Amino acid sequence: MAGGINYHRIWNDQFSTNFQVYITNYALESINHDIINNQRLLQENEVLEESIKLDSEFKLSNRVSLFNGYHYQETGVTNIQDVDNPLFQSKFKQVIRSHGLSSQIGFQSENHHTNSRIGVRLNYLEKFSKFLIEPRLSLSHQIVDNLTFQLLGELKHQTASQIIDFQDDFLGIENRRWILANGDAFPILKSYQGSLGLFYTNNGWLISAEGYMKNVDGVTTKSQGFQNQYQYVNDIGNYEVFGTDFLIRKRFKSINSSISYSYMNNEYTFNNLSEINFPSNFDITHSVSCAFTYSIKKLNISTGLNWHSGKPITKPVKGIEIVDEAINFQSANSTRLEDYMRVDISAQYKFNLSKRVLASTAISVWNLFNQENITNTYYKIDVDEVIEVNQNSLGFTPNLSFRVSF
């Protein structure tokens, strides 16, 4: 649940302010019954966040503006865990309050071909009595007609992250819990990221190419969903991502079409594990998506294709699957699943029930060709034998909807 109030005021031709107050609440309650072991696990996770934010803009001239802001945020996380066999109960609540001061100067050229912002945000975290300085840069420049260059860079931090205690709890569904940084086992996540891009627009065409990099430090193994030799190991490291995104989009009279391609190289670094560098669990090297929409009067028809290369997994060593009553895994994430592919289609028709009442009906099909896609594979021991468990995505799935607006 979330709610907020936003108030914007223009005081004069040079000065304006924006005031915002909001509160959000997230709650998860899960119960897992293990029939074989006669055990019931109750898990609750609640996140309550309150925030006050004030931003201002002061125009120093027609081309230069000064942006200042203050942001107060209080985040509280409560975790409850209750096991009946053996009896175990725990409840703990964490609270982090932060203050942020930001200041940026913006410039716009007389011909509007160049826009830039450069500034810094100063954060103070009460719990750790710690200051964090985060510079930020945004620059766009129209090189020639219809061709724009963009440069972005920033430092950021995050005090909340998700962890997974046991991957098999709750059948692998909704088994993540939010937790706040404590400066020890769960440090503050810090990242720096940057991107360079070129964008071309002309006569309904949009062509873009963007390269980016991102480094996140303070990542814990418990937050990454390992299902291999590192599932029960606690360590802190980082991941680094390099990638490129390409997009081509064309608008005709009644047809919108687009095709995009993404390349990504995402790699972990954990200095205390037996393998220091290896592919991230979320490393999808290649990804392609296509979309086509046809609109005529009150009818819209669309179709799309999604394809990406398989995610990394870790297989047991063939012929020596079990050593010391544990699975003997190969190098971490050294194997990949088969490629993923899915085609979707949908149609929507709008019509009037009366002069003031508008209705629409739609039908869609997810995975039109009923493609079998394995989204994850992991292994477990069952009676001295290693069992392979495959998790599949949805097959042919139709949906029908009817909406009335008045």
Side-chain angles (χ1 to χ4, degrees):
M1 296 186 294
I5 299 173
N6 192 83
Y7 176 66
H8 179 73
R9 176 161 183 174
I10 300 174
W11 299 86
N12 52 49
D13 293 340
Q14 291 180 298
F15 187 65
S16 63
T17 58
N18 192 77
F19 179 74
Q20 183 184 52
V21 177
Y22 73 82
I23 181 171
T24 62
N25 178 258
Y26 163 87
L28 171 70
E29 179 179 323
S30 304
I31 300 177
N32 188 74
H33 291 278
D34 187 339
I35 306 300
I36 296 176
N37 296 314
N38 190 29
Q39 183 185 76
R40 187 266 300 149
L41 169 63
L42 168 67
Q43 181 174 292
E44 295 182 20
N45 183 215
E46 183 180 26
V47 181
L48 181 65
E49 186 169 278
E50 303 162 357
S51 175
I52 299 174
K53 192 175 183 180
L54 176 64
D55 296 309
S56 68
E57 178 184 357
F58 182 73
K59 295 182 179 180
L60 300 175
S61 68
N62 291 332
R63 296 194 295 272
V64 181
S65 296
L66 184 64
F67 302 90
N68 292 309
Y70 168 74
H71 186 197
Y72 170 78
Q73 183 173 290
E74 178 180 292
T75 305
V77 176
T78 302
N79 275 290
I80 297 175
Q81 190 160 321
D82 187 325
V83 182
D84 65 347
N85 182 28
L87 188 63
F88 172 81
Q89 293 178 331
S90 72
K91 177 181 178 180
F92 64 96
K93 181 175 181 179
Q94 302 166 289
V95 178
I96 290 182
R97 300 178 182 89
S98 66
H99 305 264
L101 289 173
S102 62
S103 183
Q104 298 182 75
I105 187 166
F107 170 79
Q108 185 180 69
S109 62
E110 189 172 354
N111 58 8
H112 303 290
H113 287 181
T114 302
N115 292 275
S116 66
R117 278 197 189 189
I118 185 171
V120 66
R121 178 183 172 105
L122 176 65
N123 304 281
Y124 177 70
L125 306 180
E126 289 186 4
K127 181 177 180 178
F128 308 104
S129 301
K130 189 172 186 176
F131 288 96
L132 297 175
I133 300 175
E134 299 172 341
R136 293 172 185 182
L137 168 68
S138 172
L139 170 66
S140 66
H141 175 69
Q142 184 176 318
I143 303 172
V144 295
D145 289 346
N146 308 315
L147 183 63
T148 302
F149 163 83
Q150 186 180 74
L151 170 66
L152 301 173
E154 61 183 349
L155 271 67
K156 281 190 171 183
H157 79 282
Q158 183 174 306
T159 57
S161 59
Q162 289 184 310
I163 63 169
I164 304 172
D165 283 333
F166 300 104
Q167 186 70 36
D168 296 337
D169 284 346
F170 310 105
L171 303 176
I173 301 173
E174 291 292 358
N175 60 347
R176 292 178 174 267
R177 291 186 294 125
W178 285 102
I179 194 167
L180 291 178
N182 57 16
D184 186 17
F186 301 100
I188 301 169
L189 290 170
K190 299 177 183 178
S191 72
Y192 60 86
Q193 54 203 53
S195 64
L196 287 170
L198 285 173
F199 303 88
Y200 175 80
T201 56
N202 185 32
N203 193 28
W205 285 93
L206 168 62
I207 303 174
S208 68
E210 185 177 12
Y212 63 90
M213 69 81 60
K214 182 177 182 179
N215 182 285
V216 179
D217 193 30
V219 175
T220 64
T221 50
K222 294 189 70 173
S223 68
Q224 299 304 297
F226 283 110
Q227 293 177 290
N228 53 22
Q229 56 266 51
Y230 304 128
Q231 180 172 352
Y232 304 108
V233 177
N234 295 330
D235 194 23
I236 300 171
N238 68 74
Y239 68 81
E240 191 166 53
V241 186
F242 294 91
T244 54
D245 293 328
F246 298 94
L247 171 67
I248 300 176
R249 187 173 67 198
K250 171 62 177 175
R251 292 183 179 180
F252 302 93
K253 288 184 178 180
S254 302
I255 298 176
N256 288 336
S257 60
S258 68
I259 181 171
S260 65
Y261 166 75
S262 297
Y263 167 81
M264 178 175 64
N265 180 31
N266 191 344
E267 189 173 83
Y268 289 129
T269 299
F270 288 101
N271 292 321
N272 296 319
L273 299 184
S274 57
E275 300 166 85
I276 296 177
N277 301 107
F278 55 95
S280 164
N281 297 335
F282 310 101
D283 180 38
I284 304 295
T285 309
H286 305 283
S287 178
V288 175
S289 65
C290 306
F292 299 92
T293 302
Y294 176 73
S295 301
I296 180 170
K297 294 182 179 180
K298 298 180 179 181
L299 176 66
N300 294 319
I301 301 174
S302 62
T303 183
L305 179 145
N306 291 275
W307 172 91
H308 63 73
S309 54
K311 61 165 285 190
I313 62 169
T314 310
K315 286 188 172 184
V317 176
K318 192 172 183 179
I320 320 175
E321 288 84 1
I322 300 178
V323 174
D324 295 333
E325 298 182 351
I327 299 176
N328 181 29
F329 284 103
Q330 300 176 6
S331 298
N333 291 343
S334 56
T335 307
R336 290 185 179 269
L337 295 174
E338 294 293 325
D339 296 349
Y340 176 99
M341 191 182 75
R342 191 187 80 242
V343 175
D344 306 324
I345 190 170
S346 65
Q348 181 189 52
Y349 181 73
K350 298 179 180 179
F351 55 96
N352 293 321
L353 292 176
S354 66
K355 291 183 178 180
R356 296 184 179 181
V357 180
L358 176 67
S360 67
T361 183
I363 184 171
S364 64
V365 178
W366 171 286
N367 199 353
L368 178 65
F369 300 113
N370 199 29
Q371 182 77 24
E372 183 177 339
N373 292 304
I374 299 176
T375 57
N376 187 35
T377 297
Y378 66 93
Y379 300 86
K380 63 181 183 179
I381 296 178
D382 186 10
V383 193
D384 298 328
E385 182 181 1
V386 174
I387 304 298
E388 180 180 85
V389 181
N390 292 318
Q391 296 173 321
N392 298 315
S393 66
L394 288 174
F396 181 88
T397 308
N399 295 276
L400 180 67
S401 67
F402 178 76
R403 177 176 294 179
V404 177
S405 303
F406 55 89

